[in-house]
């Protein structure tokens, strides 16, 4: 995102944009790619709430969040572009707040890749993940990127976990 210091990401996070909502898609290629025609749009705050549920030492991905929302809403899939935008908004909103932190660094891109659009970029995310015991490796020769090694083993199951009143996640 551009001009992060000039934006109020917490206001963006609270703006539901008339979501949640569903849309039926008709493009055969998109239906084949996403496994159905019923597309769900989750509001920004839902991404923040789900990201907050991931405990210390555990991870999730944007795709895991999307799959969780699709299952929860009865849709075939969750819209991917807004998902990426709303995860970034949740990260920057957390960064702008004093306290009440969302552990956005625990949300990875596809394939366990770190998100260079988070506050401080991929290197700041790498440092936070390593503090929680994850191993982060650099991949690529020309297009360098950072990936959490064996991230699948640390994935937190969003479905079936309950959050107590104090924010403690239980199974």
């Amino acid at each position: 995102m551009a001009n992060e210091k000039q934006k109020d990401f917490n206001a963006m996070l609270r703006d539901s944009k008339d979501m949640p909502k569903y849309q039926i898609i008709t493009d055969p290629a998109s239906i084949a790619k996403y496994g159905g025609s019923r597309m769900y749009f989750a509001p920004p705050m839902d991404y923040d709430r789900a990201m907050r549920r991931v405990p210390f030492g555990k991870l999730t991905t944007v795709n895991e969040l999307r799959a969780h929302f699709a299952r929860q809403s009865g849709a075939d899939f969750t819209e991917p572009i807004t998902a990426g935008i709303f995860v970034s908004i949740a990260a920057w909103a957390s960064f702008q707040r004093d306290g009440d932190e969302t552990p956005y660094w625990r949300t990875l891109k596809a394939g366990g890749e770190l998100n260079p659009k988070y506050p401080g970029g991929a290197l700041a995310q790498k440092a936070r993940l390593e503090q929680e015991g994850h191993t982060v490796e650099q991949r690529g020769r020309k297009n360098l990127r950072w990936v959490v090694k064996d991230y699948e083993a640390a994935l937190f199951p969003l479905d079936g976990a309950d959050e107590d009143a104090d924010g403690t996640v239980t199974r």
Side-chain angles (χ1 to χ4, degrees):
M1 295 190 172
N3 303 316
E4 287 83 1
K5 292 181 181 180
Q6 299 166 357
K7 296 178 182 179
D8 182 351
F9 287 98
N10 285 286
M12 290 181 200
L13 190 64
R14 292 185 299 272
D15 184 359
S16 70
K17 308 232 182 264
D18 298 323
M19 296 178 200
K21 66 181 177 183
Y22 296 88
Q23 181 176 332
I24 302 299
I25 61 169
T26 57
D27 174 50
S30 295
I31 291 170
K33 178 178 181 178
Y34 295 115
S37 62
R38 189 169 163 85
M39 179 170 60
Y40 179 69
F41 291 81
M45 189 60 83
D46 284 4
Y47 286 91
D48 186 76
R49 280 190 203 104
M51 292 164 70
R52 286 173 180 265
R53 294 177 53 209
V54 180
F56 182 93
K58 294 293 184 179
L59 303 168
T60 193
T61 66
V62 175
N63 288 341
E64 292 288 327
L65 291 170
R66 289 182 50 237
H68 167 70
F69 291 136
R71 286 187 298 270
Q72 194 177 51
S73 68
D76 296 315
F77 67 101
T78 302
E79 201 281 329
I81 295 171
T82 57
I85 292 168
F86 293 165
V87 164
S88 288
I89 287 172
W92 280 97
S94 176
F95 184 74
Q96 287 180 342
R97 286 191 299 268
D98 289 328
D100 192 29
E101 189 171 53
T102 299
Y104 60 86
W105 58 91
R106 297 177 188 150
T107 301
L108 308 173
K109 293 173 58 175
E113 187 174 343
L114 275 54
N115 194 334
K117 294 182 180 178
Y118 282 168
L123 292 178
Q125 185 181 15
K126 175 182 181 288
R128 304 255 344 227
L129 291 169
E130 288 175 341
Q131 288 174 346
E132 294 191 15
H134 299 287
T135 301
V136 180
E137 302 175 326
Q138 192 173 34
R139 301 257 173 94
R141 290 181 185 225
K142 291 184 180 179
N143 185 17
L144 298 178
R145 54 195 177 90
W146 295 96
V147 182
V148 175
K149 182 180 179 182
D150 300 325
Y151 75 96
E152 299 95 337
L155 288 176
F156 177 72
L158 292 165
D159 295 326
D162 294 315
E163 190 173 302
D164 295 338
D166 67 355
T168 305
V169 177
T170 58
R171 301 276 319 134

